Amino acid sequence: FRKLMIRVLDSDLDLIDFQIKFATGPVYHLKDHYVFRENTRTRALDLPGDLRVIRWIDFKYKNLPGGGRARMQVWGQ
């Protein structure tokens, strides 16, 4: 993968932390803090270096008041 995009469905969401563990070992920590409105997405997030194979992605988030139960999608290129 070279780029990722995150999309949020069904509710507003506060993305507190976001980490990607690559197959070769390093962990990429996204330093930006995002507040999503329902049915919105991030810009394309460039992944660093040649570390392209992803082992896992870890999200820490909370739903914002007044919404439903949010769903997240990760799109990769």
Side-chain angles (χ1 to χ4, degrees), residues 5 9 23 26 33 39 45-46 48 50 54 68-69 72 74-75:
M5 184 179 296
L9 304 167
H33 178 91
N39 298 320
L45 306 170
D46 293 321
D50 294 328
I54 296 172
R69 186 178 172 120
M72 296 180 74
V74 178
W75 299 350

Side-chain angles (χ1 to χ4, degrees), residues 7 18 28-29 37 39 46 60 69 73:
R7 183 172 179 212
F18 174 71
Y28 175 66
H29 182 80
R37 297 295 169 216
N39 298 320
D46 293 321
K60 290 188 175 95
R69 186 178 172 120
Q73 296 177 337

Side-chain angles (χ1 to χ4, degrees), residues 9-39:
L9 304 167
D10 301 333
S11 181
D12 296 346
L13 179 136
D14 183 8
L15 181 60
I16 300 164
D17 193 19
F18 174 71
Q19 294 183 41
I20 301 170
K21 170 79 171 180
F22 293 103
T24 55
V27 175
Y28 175 66
H29 182 80
L30 185 68
K31 295 180 169 90
D32 294 338
H33 178 91
Y34 290 99
V35 175
F36 289 93
R37 297 295 169 216
E38 184 176 352
N39 298 320

Side-chain angles (χ1 to χ4, degrees), residues 42-76:
T42 63
R43 59 177 168 69
L45 306 170
D46 293 321
L47 297 179
D50 294 328
L51 309 173
R52 305 294 187 207
V53 178
I54 296 172
R55 180 170 292 164
W56 52 257
I57 300 174
D58 183 36
F59 295 102
K60 290 188 175 95
Y61 64 91
K62 62 182 178 180
N63 290 318
L64 294 175
R69 186 178 172 120
R71 292 184 302 132
M72 296 180 74
Q73 296 177 337
V74 178
W75 299 350

